[in-house]
Amino acid sequence: MSLRETRRWLAAALAFVLVMMSVTGVAHAAEDTVTGIEFDYLPSDYNNSTSSLETFVEDDKVIVSVLASLSGSSSKKDVTSEAAWKSSNTSYVKVDKGVLTGVGKGTATISATYKGFTINVKASSDYIYDTVTLMNGGVTAPATMDIEIGQPLVFKLNGTKSNDTKDVTTDAVWTTSSSAIATVNDGTITLIGVGTVTITAKLKGKSDSIIINVSSPYKSISIDSNTSSKLLEMDLGSDDQELTATVAPKTGGTEVVTSTAKWVSANDKIASVDKGVVTAKTAGKTSITVSYKGVSTSIEVVVRTAYQSIKLSPEKEYHMLLQDEPLQIKADVLDNKNDSEDATLKADWTSSNIIVATVLNGKVYPKAVGTTKITANYKGVSRSIEVTVYPSISELSIETETIDGFAELSGDLPKVTATTFDGSKVDVSKLVTWTSKDEKIAEIKDGKWTAKALGESILTATAQGYTAEVNLIVHIKPLKLLSDTKDLSLVLGKERPYPTLYVVNEDGEEENVTAKAIWKSSSDNIVLKESSMKGIEESNITITATYLNKTLTIRVKIEEEIIKLVAEPTVIELFPSKSKSVKVTGYYKSGKQVSLGSRMNWEIGNPNLASVSGTSVKGIAVGTTKISGSYQEKTLIIPVVISPKLKSLTLSSKSVQLSPGGTFTAKLQANYTTGNPVVVTEEALWTTSNASVATVKDGKITAVKKGSASIKATFAGKTVAIRVTVK
């Protein structure tokens, strides 16, 4: 080992010993008193001539330890990691827990502080070499140089210290500013491209660089494709195309460099190139670039398919049994001239799952149960169909017994299941063939049934000699499904029948289909039976009725039993065209109350006199009727009285003069919005403003003494007055 390496090893060993000593005595040291501290370092790291620890930039570090003297102990404690370290000038020397690092040329004071004690030591930093210099051909390299690609170029690096020079080429770190122009390895330069590049060699904090201007010995390079066009056009499946690369030297003439130039395709998946030979891979557009010693050029390449498309027969998925004969698929292609040809034997045929089926020249051989994709490829065009192979079967069954349809409408054929040898079930819906017993009623085409006329027809599914049947019933087309209620209350724990359902058919006829509908619920809080339902938990749910292709949803509230209904008001009094709300309170067995006004399914006794909507009753004409509503089969009836509305009052006179003892009988007329006035003299309330002047009763005014008084008549909230003067 070198002297410096030996010093490092000894320092590390010493540090380890000191650490182990400190660990051994840690239980007691914590209680000891520090009497002083001192540095510990290798003597070889100290330069007596400069009285300083000696470091070098980017070289080995100097390790310094701090030892603390303890009272009552002859041993010393290593407190290096606990001490506070500081450098007076970190531009020259840095310190971290006793490790000194040279940064620049100069000196700094290193201090360590522990338990109130501080010690210092001087540290110097210098470079291993004063300078490093790039050399070329035994002389100092210039700052800038010009060179052509292809020329050899090698540099050396000399390191100088106090007039002592040393070759440090392999010790230095070499870098290039552009690896696209030049690369460097221990001073050996490889010129790649044209341009300006900076080569730098760095060693122990010193560096030297050179700027290199790289040029090409050629003016240009060209590609010859044996065509007059700058575009190379190829068809998939056609022969490879050969390109020629020619360079023009600056000194004149030409030179063919096809085999030595660098050829690159922008997209190898479309077209690849090798020494100028272009191979079409798939349809698309790309470019081919050739470069040679700093010059390059490109040519556009278009690869097209010679055919527009490929067609397979059969075209769609195919289903076959394991024991069936091989299936022959035919492939036809259409070229760009619109001519078709049979490509069955020319195409490349593949099976995605050769365990299920293999294919040769378009002939598919079933091998095992499963599905595979059979693909035909021919010069850039391809097409696939799925082939499913089924096991041998022993029975067929259809998922439903009846299909409901409507004239001129179509639907999917039902699922068909086959039973296999081992008893398992297999969906063979796409394997079976269907027939209709009466094609005037229904026909089958492309996997669907189409209803033609009202009536019934038997549809039969057949596979491997087995059959299964389903009855298709063609109905009159329903237009709308209706019910006698949209909301209903279901008493918890009690059964009640389904609400009545009506269907309105296309011919306008109505039919009760309550028993024919299929009911479903949004919740498991209700039990739906064949003809009734039962609530099992309080909740708000919906039930849906389906009949043929129509559905209807009804809101259901599952709740306690209502024992009493109370209406407010008990009598509804209205004027024509005016409305009034009715409030209904229901009382549960538990004593709880609920507002039911909008859920009562109100009906009006005489729709010519009044109407009801929600909780609002509106007067239409003068008269008496009633509204009735029910909830949980309890009925509530409220009388409705529509009275004419008073528009104004009219007195037979606006003023009268009397002598004491004289009398005058005023007539009061009520004017209604209906246009029929009524005399209400005796029904009105009469008052006088001054009974000492005049009195009044039922419209009869009696003068008492001289003076004046105002006689008022009040009826149905309106008031009129007559002025009385007694002379």
Side-chain angles (χ1 to χ4, degrees), residues 206-470:
K206 294 293 184 178
S207 64
D208 193 15
S209 300
I210 183 172
I211 298 174
I212 303 174
N213 298 312
V214 185
S215 60
S216 173
Y218 302 101
K219 291 185 294 183
S220 63
I221 187 171
S222 61
I223 296 176
D224 181 10
S225 62
N226 298 319
T227 66
S228 58
S229 174
K230 293 183 179 180
L231 177 68
L232 179 61
E233 299 179 84
M234 303 179 69
D235 286 337
L236 275 176
S238 63
D239 294 336
D240 293 345
Q241 295 289 314
E242 294 185 7
L243 303 177
T244 302
T246 304
V247 292
K250 293 178 179 177
T251 56
T254 59
E255 181 182 342
V256 176
V257 293
T258 304
S259 60
T260 54
K262 181 181 180 181
W263 296 86
V264 177
S265 171
N267 191 335
D268 282 325
K269 293 181 179 179
I270 294 175
S272 63
V273 61
D274 180 28
K275 295 182 179 181
V277 178
V278 181
T279 303
K281 295 293 187 66
T282 187
K285 184 177 76 171
T286 185
S287 61
I288 301 294
T289 300
V290 64
S291 56
Y292 185 72
K293 292 187 177 181
V295 289
S296 66
T297 189
S298 299
I299 185 173
E300 293 292 319
V301 179
V302 173
V303 180
R304 301 185 180 92
T305 57
Y307 297 91
Q308 298 180 43
S309 61
I310 184 171
K311 180 176 70 173
L312 300 182
S313 300
E315 296 182 47
K316 301 178 181 178
E317 58 185 356
Y318 193 83
H319 301 265
M320 59 193 307
L321 290 162
L322 186 59
Q323 64 271 25
D324 283 351
E325 292 297 317
L327 167 69
Q328 178 64 60
I329 303 176
K330 183 184 178 185
D332 291 299
V333 292
L334 184 69
D335 65 19
N336 294 330
K337 295 178 181 179
N338 212 35
D339 295 327
S340 63
E341 63 177 285
D342 187 345
T344 304
L345 300 179
K346 302 175 186 177
D348 178 22
W349 294 88
T350 58
S351 170
S352 65
N353 190 342
I354 58 175
I355 295 175
V356 173
T358 59
V359 60
L360 178 63
N361 293 333
K363 185 172 285 188
V364 180
Y365 299 85
K367 299 293 185 180
V369 175
T371 299
T372 184
K373 181 182 288 185
I374 303 298
T375 303
N377 286 282
Y378 185 67
K379 292 187 177 182
V381 290
S382 68
R383 190 167 294 275
S384 303
I385 68 167
E386 277 195 353
V387 174
T388 301
V389 181
Y390 294 86
S392 300
I393 62 177
S394 59
E395 184 183 356
L396 287 181
S397 61
I398 300 176
E399 66 176 349
T400 183
E401 295 180 357
T402 304
I403 301 174
D404 293 301
F406 317 107
E408 303 305 325
L409 292 182
S410 298
D412 293 327
L413 290 163
K415 179 180 176 182
V416 181
T417 302
T419 303
T420 63
F421 174 75
D422 60 4
S424 59
K425 303 293 184 180
V426 179
D427 185 349
V428 291
S429 302
K430 295 181 178 180
L431 176 67
V432 298
T433 56
W434 287 88
T435 57
S436 173
K437 183 177 181 180
D438 189 344
E439 293 193 346
K440 293 181 180 179
I441 301 297
E443 65 178 13
I444 296 173
K445 186 178 181 181
D446 297 330
K448 290 182 176 292
W449 55 262
T450 301
K452 308 299 291 184
L454 299 179
E456 297 184 22
S457 179
I458 301 297
L459 306 184
T460 303
T462 304
Q464 202 175 344
Y466 296 94
T467 62
E469 296 179 345
V470 60

Side-chain angles (χ1 to χ4, degrees), residues 78 87 197 278 283 302 306 356 387 425 432 528-529 572 582 613 686 692:
D78 188 333
S87 170
V197 65
V278 181
V302 173
V356 173
V387 174
K425 303 293 184 180
V432 298
L528 300 180
K529 298 185 177 182
I572 302 173
V582 59
S613 176
W686 295 86
S692 63

Side-chain angles (χ1 to χ4, degrees), residues 37-182:
I37 60 174
E38 61 184 75
F39 283 129
D40 181 60
Y41 44 79
L42 292 176
S44 58
D45 286 334
Y46 193 81
N47 190 329
N48 291 316
S49 63
T50 61
S51 300
S52 64
L53 290 169
E54 193 173 49
T55 64
F56 294 93
V57 178
E58 295 185 8
D59 198 33
D60 293 335
K61 304 179 189 320
V62 173
I63 299 174
V64 180
S65 301
V66 176
L67 304 178
S69 299
L70 307 175
S71 62
S73 175
S74 59
S75 62
K76 296 182 180 181
K77 178 185 177 184
D78 188 333
V79 295
T80 306
S81 61
E82 301 171 50
W85 294 86
K86 183 178 180 182
S87 170
S88 64
N89 195 329
T90 55
S91 297
Y92 300 142
V93 182
K94 289 184 178 180
V95 63
D96 180 26
K97 295 183 179 180
V99 178
L100 277 56
T101 304
V103 180
K105 186 173 182 179
T107 60
T109 300
I110 304 300
S111 63
T113 301
Y114 181 74
K115 299 291 187 179
F117 294 93
T118 300
I119 52 177
N120 301 296
V121 65
K122 183 180 177 183
S124 64
S125 176
D126 199 357
Y127 293 95
I128 295 293
Y129 299 100
D130 295 330
T131 60
V132 292
T133 307
L134 288 172
M135 306 296 292
N136 179 236
V139 298
T140 301
T144 305
M145 73 183 308
D146 299 325
I147 192 170
E148 289 184 344
I149 291 179
Q151 299 297 316
L153 183 59
V154 178
F155 292 107
K156 286 188 176 182
L157 186 68
N158 286 344
T160 303
K161 183 70 172 181
S162 302
N163 297 320
D164 181 20
T165 300
K166 180 182 178 182
D167 185 346
V168 294
T169 303
T170 57
D171 298 329
V173 176
W174 296 81
T175 58
T176 176
S177 63
S178 175
S179 58
I181 298 175

Side-chain angles (χ1 to χ4, degrees), residues 520-557:
K520 291 184 179 179
S521 170
S522 64
S523 169
D524 56 5
N525 291 338
I526 188 173
V527 175
L528 300 180
K529 298 185 177 182
E530 185 175 351
S531 59
S532 63
M533 51 188 171
K534 180 179 180 181
I536 58 176
E537 186 173 333
E538 289 189 40
S539 55
N540 292 307
I541 64 170
T542 59
I543 56 173
T544 300
T546 301
Y547 175 70
L548 298 180
N549 64 340
K550 297 298 178 181
T551 61
L552 179 68
T553 298
I554 297 173
R555 295 182 292 267
V556 179
K557 184 177 181 63

Side-chain angles (χ1 to χ4, degrees), residues 645-650 669-678:
K645 184 177 181 181
L646 180 63
K647 184 169 63 174
S648 63
L649 296 175
T650 304
Q669 179 178 286
N671 304 305
Y672 292 96
T673 54
T674 56
N676 298 315
V678 178

